[in-house]
Amino acid sequence: MTTQAHDNSAPVQIGAVAAEVPLSNRQRTLNRFLRHRMAVFGSTILLCIVLFVTIGGVIYSERDANFNDVSRRLQPPSAEHPFGTDTIGRDILARTIYGGQISLLIGVTAVFMSITVGTTFGIVAGYYGGIIDALLMRFTEAMLSIPTLLLLLVMAKYFAGRIPTQELFGRTFSGSVIVIIGIIGLTSWMGLSRLIRANVLSLRESEFVTAARAIGASDFHIILRHVLPNTIAPVIVATTLGVAAAILSEAYISFLGLGVQPPTATWGNMLEGSRSHIDNAPWLWFFPGMLIVLTVMSINFVGDGVRDALDPRSRE
Amino acid sequence: MYKYIIRRLLQAIPLLFVVSFVIFILMQSSGDPLATMGGRMPPRAEDRERLRQSLGLNDPIYLQYIYWLVGNDWRMVDSTGDGEPDRYGTRRGVIRGDFGTSIITRQPAMQVIGDRLENTLILTMTAQVIIIVGALFIGIFSAVRQYSIWDHLFTTLSFIIYSIPVFLLGIILIYIFAVQFRIWGLPHLPTAGMYDPIEGRSFGQVARHLVLPSLTIAFISIAGYSRYIRSTMLEVINSDYIRTARAKGLTERRTLFVHAFKNASLPLITLIGLDLPLLIAGAVVTETIFAWPGMGKMFIDHLNRSDTAVVMALLMIITLAVIMAQLLIDIVYTWLDPRIRYD
Amino acid sequence: MRIKRLLALFAVLIFAVGAFAPVGAQGNNAVVLYPQELDNLNPMYSSMFFMGITTDLYLAPAWNFDDALEPNPVLVAEVPSVENGGLSEDGRTITLTLREGLTWSDGEPLTSADFLFTYQMFSDPANTPNTTYPYGEADGIIESVEAPDETTVVVNFVEPFAPWVATLFTAGILPEHILGPEFEANGTLIDAAWNRAPTVGSGPFVFAEWEIGSFMRFVRNDNYFGNAPSLDQVILRFIPESDVLLATLLNNEGDLATFIPFSDVPALEAAGLEAQVVPSGFNEQWVLNIREGLAHPAMLDVRVREALALATDREAFTENALLGYTYPAPGYWEGSPFASPDVSAPPFDPERAAELLDEAGWVDESGNGIREQDGVELVLRYVTNVRGIRQDAQAVFQQQLADVGIGVELITYPSDVFFNGFAEGGPVAIGDYDIAQFSQSPSFPDPNTTVFRCGQIPTEDSPDGNNYRGYCNEAVEELFAQSERETDFDARVAIFHQIDELIAADFVFVGIWYDADTWIVSERLDNVAISGATPFWNVADWVAN
C-alpha cells in the first residue's frame, strides 16, 4: 500500500492541486469495502483459512501429512484423526493443511504470473501502440480464442513429467506444482492485458502523462511512475478473482488426471482421489471439497467488495 | 463497414496460423499416439516403428505441420512403413478442407467431430436456456429488490454453487438423484449416457438423461450471469431516464420490462454472443462425468491418445467460431447503437 | 416477455417428461459397461484390450479359451495336437480341420478361404495393421498358409513355433466375401466401412448399431452355426469415469463390468453383484533398471536390488490397500502353470535389507538419513503413470525405503508419455528411471515374452526392443530359445520354471501384486463363466432372468 500512496502522489509534483485526494480516496474506498457485508464476511473466512494452513503447518509437520500406514486406511474422523484417514492411512487433517498451502500457493503465484504477463503486455501495447500493439494484441486474441480449459489440458500434457522435483525453502515441491502454476499463469493473462491496454490508451493522452513527457521523463519512468499506478484498480480486482479461478482450475486439471501428482497433496488432487469413495468414505471429499468451496467463495466475495469499493460510481 | 469486416477477416488469417502452429507443436511433442494405442501393453517395437513410418510421424515436425496445412500429395510417402517411399500422399491439407485422419478411429477428423456436434448442442443449448432464464429471473429479481433478504439469499447461494468444482457437484447429484432416490423407492434419474440403449432414442429418454448434466452446467454458470444482469439492471434502474419514466407515472412493471430491461439487454447479448462458440466446445468435465457422447468427452478421449488431427480440427473450428462471433457482435453493436463506428 | 415464458415452459416440460419417463429394464439382454470406447471393430486396426475381448461376440476365432484357460474349439473341430494329428512331430506344421456347416451371418459359407484371406490381410503391409504378429513376413514365423480344401487349413512355420495357440487365428476370421472386393478395389482395408460396422459376422451375435460415444448394440445371430444364443442383445455401454460406472452398476443399469478397483468390490457384493476374479496373465511389478550408465550405479548390484524387495512390505499393501483380494506375485508368470512353484515372493525383512546394503558398501556416513558410496547418494527414481492405486503404492514404498536409508524420488507421467518408445524419449524405454511400476503380461495364455531377451535392449543403434530392464543372462537366453522350439506342453512348463527361478535370483522383477481381472456380474445373468483370456467365450450360453 505504501508504494501505491507514494505513486499516487506523483501528479502532485506537476499539478500541485489537491494533496489530500489520495488519502481520502483510500479512506473512502476502505469505508465502501467495509460496508459491503459479504466482503467483510469473506475476508473473515479467508483469514481463518490462511490461519488454518499456516498455524496448522506449525502444529503438523510435512512428514505427518505424508506419513502413511495402510493398515489404518479409510478411518472415519476420530480424536486421533479429526478429519479421518485416506486410502493409505494418511491423516486428512494434516493433508488438508499442506494441501491448502499448495493450493493457495498455486492460486497466488499463478495469478502473480498472469498479472505480470498481462500487465506488461497491456502497458507495452497500450503505451507504444503501432506495430507493437498490433502484434501483441493479435497474439492476445489468438490465446483468447482457444477455450481456456482445452488449452490448459494440452499444455498440462506437454509439460507433464518434464520438470524435476524442486527444493525450495527446505520443502520439496513436485515438478507438477511448478507446471500447474506455469500453465494456469500462462493461460489466464489475456483478459487483463486487454483491460489494461484500454486504460493505458486513455491515460496516454492524459494531462499528467503529457506533462511528464514534456519535462523529459523517460518512457520507463513514465510507465513506472504514472501509468502503472493509475491502472491498479482493474489489476486488484483481477487478482482477487484470479486466485479463486486458479484454485478451481487446479481442481479441474486434477480431475482430468493431469494435475499435481501425489504424494504432494493439493485440495484438488485430494478431491480427485476421493471419488471412488463418495458413498463409503464421505470424509475423504467433504473436507478438501468444503475448503475449496469456502476459499473460492470468500475470495469471490472479497473480489466483489473490492470492485464495488474501487468503482467510484457505486456509492451506497 | 465492409472495409472493417474485410480487415477483421484478413487479420484472422495470421491469428489462425499462429494458433494452429502453437497447438500443433504442443500436440506433436507431448504424447505419442503409438505409445499404447489404447492397449494394456505397449505395442511391439517393430509394429510401432512400421506404423510411425507409415503415419509420417518420423518426419520432422515442421514438415508434418506443412503436410497438415497444405497436404502431402506432392511428395512420395512410405505408406507401408517399410522404409521405402512407395506412393504419393493422399492428404490435401487444411487449406484444401482436409483436416486429416484420426489415428484412433481411422476416420476423417471432421467426421469424428460431426458425429458429436448434435449431442453436444442438445446438452449445451438446454443448459444455456436454463442459464439465461434462471439468470434473468434471479438477476432482475435481486436488482429490483436490492438488499432485500431474497437478494442476499440468491447472491449467497449463487456464490456458493459457483465455488463448487463441477465434477464434485455432478457426482453428488448422481449419488443423490440416481442412486439414493432408487434406494428410497422414489422416481430416480439415470446415472449416465444420453438415452437407454434398450429403450431407444426418444424425446422422453433424452430429456430424462439430460436433467442432471444440464443442471450441473447451469448451476455453475447461473451465478456469473445473474450477477452481471443484476449490476447492469441496477445501473439502468438508477439512471435518470428510468427515474423520469417513473415520475411520468408509468407502472412499476412496465417501467421495468419495457425500459430498463431493454436497455440492460445490450450487454447481455454480448455475453451470450461470446459464449455461443463455446457451446460447440461442449462441457469437457460434465460430459466426461455423465458419459454424454459430446464434443468435450471426445476432446478428452482423443487428447489422451494424442490424436493430433482431431484435437487440431476441433480447436481450429472453435477458434474460427470465436472470431466469427466477435465480428458478429461488433456488427450487431453498430446496428443497436448508431454512435459506434469502426471505419 | 412472451419468449421468456415460452422458454420457461420448455424447461419445465423437459424436466417433467424426464422425471416420469418409464424406468429402463434390461429384459432379455446383457448390458456390459466398458470404461473406454472401442476404436475400431476390425481386429487388424485395434490394439485395445476391450476390443480384443469383444470380438468373441461377433467374429468367431479358430478357438478361444474357456474359464479354465483350456483352448475351446470354435471354428475348428478340434484344437490341433500331436495326438489328433493336427500338429506335426517336428512342430513345424499345423493342420486345422474346420467344423462342417460353418456360415457367416448372411448365410454365406465360412471356409478355409476366409482363413487364408485373414492371413493375407494381416501380412500385407499395404493394410498397415496395428500388428502383423505372427503373420508378417518380417516376423519370420510363418512360411506359408495353404487351403487344400474347404475345411482344411495348413500352416507351415519356418521354425517350430510354440506360441501358436495364443496367437494364431485367435483374433477372429475376416469375411473374404465382404472384404475381398474392398481390398481388390482399394488395395487396402484401412477405409473399409466394415471396420466400423461389421454387419456381417460369424459370432453368436451380430453387430447392429454403434451410437458414437454412447454404446454398441449386438443382436442375436440367427444364422449362428453353434447353439442358438439365449439373449436377444448384448449392449456395450461406454462410461469413462470409474465412480460413475460404479454408480451405474449399483443402480442395476448394467450387468457386467471389469477393471473394478478392488476397493469397490465389497460395496458391489453388498448390492448383490457377483465378483469373478480371473487370471489374465498380468502382474503389477517393479521393472528394475540395470542398464549401465542409465540406471543409478547401485542398481547394478544384485544385493541392492534384493534389498529393495526386502525393504518393502508388499504383503501388507495388498492385504490392506487391495483388501486382501490379491497378493504379491512371486514371478513374472504368476497365475499360470508356467510359474515355478519353487519361487516365492521375497519377505518383508528390513533388517536383512539394511545388512545387504551395508555389505554392498552403501552406508549413511553423512547422517542425513540417506546412504551413500563414494559421494554418490542412494536416491532412486521411482516412476509410474497416473493411476490412483499406483501412486498410493509409490507413497507407501517411498516411506518404507526411506526407513532403510534409500531415498526415492517419485515421478508420474501421463500414460502415453510413460509408455512412449525409445525414439520418442519414453522414460522407461530410454532408461531414465531406476524403478518403474506397471503391469505386464506374457502373450497370455502362452508364456512367451521378449522383455527378458538380450536382443531386445533398446539402444541408439537399435531403438526397437522391449527389454527395458537391460537384463541379459546367457542361461535365460538359451532357455527362451529352447522354449520357442519346444512343442510339448509339459516340457515347456519345465523350461519356464527354470527361467522363472533364474530371473527371481537376479532380482530384476519384483512383484507388487498379482493383477487378476475382477469382473462384476449381476445376479440377473446365469451361466456367465468369465475367462481371463477371452472373457466372452461362452456368451452364447448366457441366460438372463
Side-chain angles (χ1 to χ4, degrees):
Chain A
M1 279 321 253
T2 45
T3 37
Q4 196 196 345
H6 177 71
D7 286 338
N8 268 355
S9 62
V12 178
Q13 302 171 337
I14 307 150
V17 208
E20 290 305 304
V21 170
L23 195 73
S24 68
N25 256 348
R26 263 172 66 198
Q27 194 60 47
R28 234 186 295 163
T29 306
L30 189 64
N31 283 342
R32 272 204 298 266
F33 182 80
L34 289 177
R35 245 179 294 142
H36 198 295
R37 263 182 291 173
M38 290 207 274
V40 175
F41 174 67
S43 321
T44 317
I45 293 187
L46 205 57
L47 188 70
C48 292
I49 291 170
V50 171
L51 288 178
F52 171 72
V53 302
T54 47
I55 295 179
V58 176
I59 298 171
Y60 288 86
S61 70
E62 196 179 11
R63 209 180 135 65
D64 294 329
N66 285 330
F67 179 78
N68 57 67
D69 178 1
V70 258
S71 63
R72 309 178 60 88
R73 73 191 291 269
L74 296 187
Q75 293 192 347
S78 63
E80 198 188 341
H81 299 290
F83 286 5
T85 61
D86 73 359
T87 49
I88 51 171
R90 289 176 291 213
D91 183 62
I92 292 184
L93 174 57
R95 284 183 82 68
T96 47
I97 291 167
Y98 280 86
Q101 292 180 0
I102 301 287
S103 286
L104 294 178
L105 175 83
I106 289 176
V108 173
T109 29
V111 167
F112 179 75
M113 198 162 157
S114 128
I115 300 287
T116 315
V117 178
T119 314
T120 315
F121 269 47
I123 290 184
V124 170
Y127 188 81
Y128 290 105
I131 182 84
I132 297 174
D133 180 34
L135 279 178
L136 289 179
M137 282 303 111
R138 286 299 89 70
F139 182 67
T140 310
E141 273 168 32
M143 294 286 284
L144 259 181
S145 50
I146 309 169
T148 315
L149 188 59
L150 305 193
L151 191 62
L152 269 179
L153 291 175
V154 175
M155 288 177 73
K157 217 163 149 261
Y158 178 79
F159 288 109
R162 288 187 191 220
I163 312 282
T165 305
Q166 306 288 331
E167 294 271 353
L168 278 180
F169 313 118
R171 288 198 47 192
T172 321
F173 292 99
S174 142
S176 50
V177 175
I178 295 149
V179 171
I180 298 298
I181 291 173
I183 62 173
I184 294 178
L186 289 180
T187 50
S188 57
W189 52 269
M190 295 84 76
L192 184 69
S193 90
R194 292 231 291 199
L195 202 72
I196 290 182
R197 173 181 169 267
N199 259 4
V200 173
L201 274 182
S202 61
L203 274 176
R204 193 168 62 168
E205 309 306 328
S206 68
E207 283 168 18
F208 59 85
V209 171
T210 323
R213 214 177 273 142
I215 60 168
S218 71
D219 284 349
F220 184 72
H221 179 87
I222 295 175
I223 289 178
L224 201 69
R225 297 295 299 273
H226 305 298
V227 177
L228 201 57
N230 283 290
T231 54
I232 212 82
V235 175
I236 290 178
V237 176
T239 312
T240 12
L241 299 179
V243 173
I247 290 174
L248 274 182
S249 292
E250 191 270 321
Y252 288 151
I253 306 171
S254 285
F255 166 79
L256 295 161
L258 296 163
V260 172
Q261 295 305 328
T264 303
T266 68
W267 291 337
N269 70 19
M270 290 178 72
L271 203 54
E272 160 61 13
S274 74
R275 284 174 47 224
S276 307
H277 304 280
I278 298 283
D279 222 13
N280 64 4
W283 59 91
L284 245 62
W285 56 265
F286 181 78
F287 295 105
M290 204 59 195
L291 283 163
I292 291 182
V293 172
L294 281 177
T295 311
V296 173
M297 185 186 77
S298 42
I299 294 175
N300 281 328
F301 279 154
V302 173
D304 213 42
V306 173
R307 193 197 338 248
D308 282 4
L310 290 176
D311 184 357
R313 282 176 302 174
S314 66
R315 299 178 204 285
E316 260 82 48
Chain B
M1 190 69 213
Y2 290 110
K3 246 172 84 185
Y4 173 74
I5 294 174
I6 290 165
R7 202 178 71 223
R8 284 291 299 260
L9 285 177
L10 284 177
Q11 281 173 349
I13 293 170
L15 194 148
L16 282 169
F17 185 75
V18 170
V19 171
S20 71
F21 189 71
V22 169
I23 298 174
F24 194 88
I25 300 288
L26 286 178
M27 278 307 291
Q28 289 299 64
S29 37
S30 50
D32 175 6
L34 305 178
T36 60
M37 296 199 282
R40 274 174 104 168
M41 295 264 282
R44 290 191 316 155
E46 299 91 318
D47 289 324
R48 179 150 55 193
E49 196 40 46
R50 179 176 51 82
L51 290 169
R52 287 193 76 71
Q53 189 67 23
S54 75
L55 291 165
L57 295 172
N58 279 340
D59 295 328
I61 282 192
Y62 74 90
L63 201 58
Q64 293 188 41
Y65 180 73
I66 291 172
Y67 290 165
W68 178 83
L69 197 64
V70 302
N72 62 357
D73 47 3
W74 46 275
R75 194 167 179 276
M76 293 287 276
V77 295
D78 176 15
S79 69
T80 55
D82 58 2
E84 294 295 316
D86 47 55
R87 65 167 167 78
Y88 283 98
T90 51
R91 291 172 53 185
R92 289 175 296 113
V94 172
I95 53 169
R96 283 181 286 164
D98 175 10
F99 279 82
T101 307
S102 161
I103 278 178
I104 300 175
T105 68
R106 309 222 180 197
Q107 287 171 298
M110 274 299 150
Q111 193 184 337
V112 175
I113 290 170
D115 285 340
R116 306 291 189 108
L117 186 58
E118 188 199 342
N119 298 341
T120 269
L121 289 179
I122 290 174
L123 176 61
T124 49
M125 292 293 212
T126 312
Q128 193 73 6
V129 169
I130 301 172
I131 292 167
I132 294 171
V133 173
L136 278 175
F137 177 76
I138 295 172
I140 295 176
F141 192 91
S142 358
V144 176
R145 307 265 149 84
Q146 195 186 11
Y147 299 127
S148 72
I149 178 101
W150 292 107
D151 177 26
H152 284 304
L153 185 73
F154 280 139
T155 311
T156 317
L157 265 182
S158 61
F159 268 103
I160 291 176
I161 294 176
Y162 177 72
S163 314
I164 302 178
V166 69
F167 58 90
L168 187 63
L169 182 66
I171 292 164
I172 289 175
L173 287 179
I174 290 178
Y175 269 90
I176 295 175
F177 292 103
V179 179
Q180 284 302 326
F181 267 45
R182 185 174 162 275
I183 292 172
W184 294 331
L186 294 166
H188 63 278
L189 291 163
T191 50
M194 193 169 69
Y195 61 92
D196 188 324
I198 296 166
E199 298 285 323
R201 184 175 186 150
S202 64
F203 180 75
Q205 272 295 326
V206 175
R208 205 170 127 73
H209 284 78
L210 251 179
V211 178
L212 293 182
S214 60
L215 285 183
T216 305
I217 300 176
F219 274 154
I220 303 285
S221 304
I222 280 182
Y225 264 73
S226 62
R227 292 298 295 164
Y228 193 77
I229 291 168
R230 178 179 176 271
S231 64
T232 45
M233 278 300 284
L234 278 178
E235 219 166 274
V236 180
I237 288 174
N238 295 332
S239 68
D240 295 342
Y241 121 88
I242 292 292
R243 287 205 200 104
T244 319
R246 275 192 195 155
K248 278 200 309 195
L250 288 174
T251 65
E252 189 69 8
R253 260 180 96 87
R254 215 178 132 69
T255 324
L256 212 61
F257 287 112
V258 176
H259 297 280
F261 180 60
K262 212 165 127 192
N263 281 283
S265 65
L266 189 69
L268 184 66
I269 288 171
T270 322
L271 204 61
I272 296 171
L274 282 174
D275 266 3
L276 273 180
L278 298 183
L279 296 187
I280 309 171
V284 175
V285 175
T286 312
E287 284 181 7
T288 309
I289 290 174
F290 291 95
W292 190 267
M295 216 69 109
K297 180 162 165 284
M298 181 206 72
F299 178 81
I300 289 296
D301 288 351
H302 290 254
L303 180 73
N304 283 341
R305 283 181 64 180
S306 306
D307 192 355
T308 308
V310 174
V311 171
M312 289 289 293
L314 182 62
L315 289 178
M316 285 297 98
I317 291 172
I318 293 169
T319 309
L320 197 65
V322 172
I323 294 170
M324 287 307 181
Q326 278 166 351
L327 187 57
L328 213 67
I329 292 167
D330 285 351
I331 296 169
V332 171
Y333 260 37
T334 56
W335 265 353
L336 292 178
D337 190 344
R339 285 172 302 178
I340 299 172
R341 273 173 206 282
Y342 293 109
D343 288 325
Chain C
M1 192 52 212
R2 199 168 292 155
I3 289 172
K4 201 186 112 191
R5 258 188 212 153
L6 219 83
L7 290 177
L9 197 73
F10 174 72
V12 169
L13 190 78
I14 280 201
F15 293 115
V17 173
F20 296 107
V23 178
Q26 281 94 318
N28 191 29
N29 309 297
V31 178
V32 187
L33 307 181
Y34 279 5
Q36 299 161 344
E37 180 160 17
L38 304 188
D39 44 9
N40 201 298
L41 284 172
N42 185 334
M44 277 166 59
Y45 297 122
S46 182
S47 309
M48 293 179 74
F49 166 77
F50 283 101
M51 164 58 190
I53 66 175
T54 305
T55 48
D56 274 319
L57 294 177
Y58 65 95
L59 213 56
W63 53 81
N64 48 28
F65 295 89
D66 65 16
D67 50 340
L69 295 172
E70 293 296 327
N72 165 58
V74 181
L75 291 174
V76 294
E78 268 185 312
V79 177
S81 66
V82 179
E83 291 76 47
N84 66 22
L87 181 60
S88 69
E89 286 289 343
D90 66 357
R92 286 193 51 212
T93 305
I94 291 179
T95 309
L96 309 179
T97 310
L98 308 189
R99 285 209 222 182
E100 295 295 330
L102 297 174
T103 56
W104 291 101
S105 59
D106 58 358
E108 290 286 316
L110 193 163
T111 68
S112 58
D114 293 306
F115 276 72
L116 193 58
F117 178 72
T118 305
Y119 161 68
Q120 285 162 348
M121 290 301 103
F122 270 96
S123 56
D124 192 327
N127 280 326
T128 58
N130 279 15
T131 180
T132 55
Y133 187 79
Y135 309 100
E137 207 180 315
D139 301 314
I141 292 166
I142 294 179
E143 192 173 274
S144 67
V145 176
E146 291 146 27
D149 66 57
E150 286 225 323
T151 57
T152 310
V153 181
V154 179
V155 182
N156 297 305
F157 296 115
V158 178
E159 294 276 327
F161 178 62
W164 60 269
V165 75
T167 49
L168 196 67
F169 297 125
T170 48
I173 300 304
L174 303 172
E176 184 181 17
H177 68 288
I178 304 288
L179 292 175
E182 172 80 29
F183 184 73
E184 294 286 305
N186 300 328
T188 174
L189 288 182
I190 201 152
D191 299 320
W194 187 87
N195 295 347
R196 297 186 62 79
T199 45
V200 173
S202 54
F205 295 89
V206 63
F207 171 87
E209 183 189 5
W210 181 351
E211 177 70 34
I212 304 292
S214 291
F215 64 87
M216 245 178 225
R217 206 153 58 82
F218 295 87
V219 298
R220 189 194 291 121
N221 175 3
D222 292 323
N223 281 329
Y224 184 52
F225 53 79
N227 298 333
S230 158
L231 296 173
D232 292 334
Q233 304 182 84
V234 175
I235 288 156
L236 313 176
R237 280 187 67 186
F238 311 122
I239 300 183
E241 293 303 313
S242 64
D243 43 0
V244 179
L245 195 140
L246 176 70
T248 309
L249 279 174
L250 289 173
N251 244 21
N252 284 353
E253 289 179 53
D255 296 314
L256 270 99
T258 188
F259 283 16
I260 302 293
F262 288 115
S263 56
D264 287 341
V265 174
L268 289 162
E269 283 181 334
L273 292 125
E274 181 203 354
Q276 297 190 8
V277 179
V278 295
S280 57
F282 279 87
N283 280 300
E284 182 82 7
Q285 58 194 268
W286 276 358
V287 171
L288 299 183
N289 188 4
I290 55 169
R291 279 189 262 174
E292 229 179 311
L294 297 172
H296 189 283
M299 295 296 290
L300 305 180
D301 190 327
V302 68
R303 288 169 297 189
V304 174
R305 300 200 297 272
E306 184 177 356
L308 290 177
L310 294 173
T312 45
D313 194 355
R314 287 153 292 123
E315 182 84 47
F317 186 79
T318 50
E319 194 54 46
N320 295 300
L322 303 174
L323 311 183
Y325 283 99
T326 179
Y327 52 90
Y332 192 84
W333 288 272
E334 183 61 16
S336 80
F338 300 96
S340 166
D342 297 332
V343 172
S344 56
F348 175 51
D349 189 349
E351 283 90 35
R352 177 78 192 120
E355 278 171 35
L356 282 169
L357 290 168
D358 290 342
E359 265 174 48
W362 294 93
V363 279
D364 182 15
E365 275 160 356
S366 62
N368 66 348
I370 293 172
R371 291 165 188 269
E372 65 265 320
Q373 185 176 148
D374 303 334
V376 180
E377 295 229 305
L378 186 50
V379 178
L380 305 176
R381 295 156 293 171
Y382 181 175
V383 303
T384 192
N385 65 335
V386 179
R387 194 174 146 205
I389 190 69
R390 286 196 177 134
Q391 291 166 303
D392 279 356
Q394 270 189 327
V396 169
F397 298 139
Q398 181 186 41
Q399 181 175 314
Q400 293 172 351
L401 290 169
D403 288 343
V404 297
I406 301 175
V408 168
E409 185 190 342
L410 305 183
I411 309 167
T412 327
Y413 297 92
S415 294
D416 59 346
V417 176
F418 185 64
F419 292 112
N420 256 347
F422 186 89
E424 299 74 49
V428 184
I430 63 168
D432 186 16
Y433 75 100
D434 299 302
I435 306 171
Q437 183 180 333
F438 54 95
S439 202
Q440 266 194 327
S441 97
S443 49
F444 192 74
D446 190 88
N448 199 38
T449 178
T450 55
V451 302
F452 298 108
R453 304 298 293 271
C454 297
Q456 289 277 339
I457 301 173
T459 60
E460 207 64 64
D461 299 324
S462 64
D464 298 359
N466 300 319
N467 186 348
Y468 298 144
R469 292 171 169 87
Y471 179 66
C472 186
N473 178 332
E474 290 299 326
V476 171
E477 186 65 16
E478 175 50 37
L479 285 166
F480 265 115
Q482 210 179 318
S483 83
E484 281 182 348
R485 293 189 300 268
E486 182 58 65
T487 49
D488 181 59
F489 183 80
D490 293 331
R492 271 189 101 200
V493 167
I495 294 172
F496 271 99
H497 286 180
Q498 289 184 53
I499 295 178
D500 200 7
E501 286 152 24
L502 285 170
I503 288 173
D506 285 334
F507 287 97
V508 284
F509 168 98
V510 176
I512 307 298
W513 66 81
Y514 165 53
D515 199 11
D517 288 352
T518 311
W519 279 84
I520 299 297
V521 184
S522 92
E523 54 185 359
R524 227 172 54 78
L525 294 181
D526 283 340
N527 292 349
V528 179
I530 299 292
S531 152
T534 50
F536 303 154
W537 68 282
N538 76 335
V539 63
D541 302 336
W542 293 4
V543 178
N545 294 320

